[in-house]
Amino acid sequence: MLQFGKLLLRFHNPREPPDKPKVFQTIQKHLKLPLTRLREVGSGYNACTEFESDVEKLVTQKATNKLTSIGLEARLPPKIRAQRSEVCRQIDSWIGGKSADDLKQEITHHNPHLEVWEIIKFGQYTHVFKIEFVTINMASHALQHGILCKHVKITPSQIQHKFIGILICFNCHKMEEHATKDSPTQNLTIWSECTGNHT
């Protein structure tokens, strides 16, 4: 069963947010993506799409430009960002030593079917880095077929994809029991460092 998609459309100016009809109309008319609902939250709208795969359509360059024009910015949920990401490990230091911008440009240039959203380096380590692709399908393609970078092949065995969804309550910090919105301690803050409920 396919799940609906959800992401945050953050207000550029919370004092003058765009009204719902304008948001619905802009996304439907210019992006050909009808939203199923918008729910206002403190910093923007939680936007829902019919399918989870539709969420990625709201972070394309065209969508970013249209949303910016009405005072919004799309923020992908962590789960989608994780699904679009792959970790490359056991990389030759000649490749891994390049800057994130260099790697992004080289991977996009040598792999016409892949488009990189962001490269994340891990400190000074040259044998490992993370690639966030523009779509989940691109990440899957890289995982199955490998990546060419600076004329060096990063094989599928060097690419690792691990995503484990964890349900966590950011109020009481319990894991795999309930979400924050369902917390039995709604008005009580429990400190993550000591698990006490003091101020």
Side-chain angles (χ1 to χ4, degrees), residues 23-37:
V23 177
F24 281 121
Q25 180 184 4
T26 300
I27 292 173
Q28 166 60 38
K29 184 177 177 183
H30 297 286
L31 304 176
K32 308 291 188 243
L33 179 64
L35 297 177
T36 59
R37 72 174 183 254

Side-chain angles (χ1 to χ4, degrees), residues 12 41-42 45 47 55 66 90 96 113 121 124 127 142 147 151 156-157 193:
H12 285 178
V41 292
Y45 291 119
V55 168
K66 284 295 173 193
Q90 299 172 341
H113 49 280
K121 304 277 292 202
Q124 299 300 315
H127 67 282
I147 301 166
H151 309 289
S157 66
E193 295 294 319

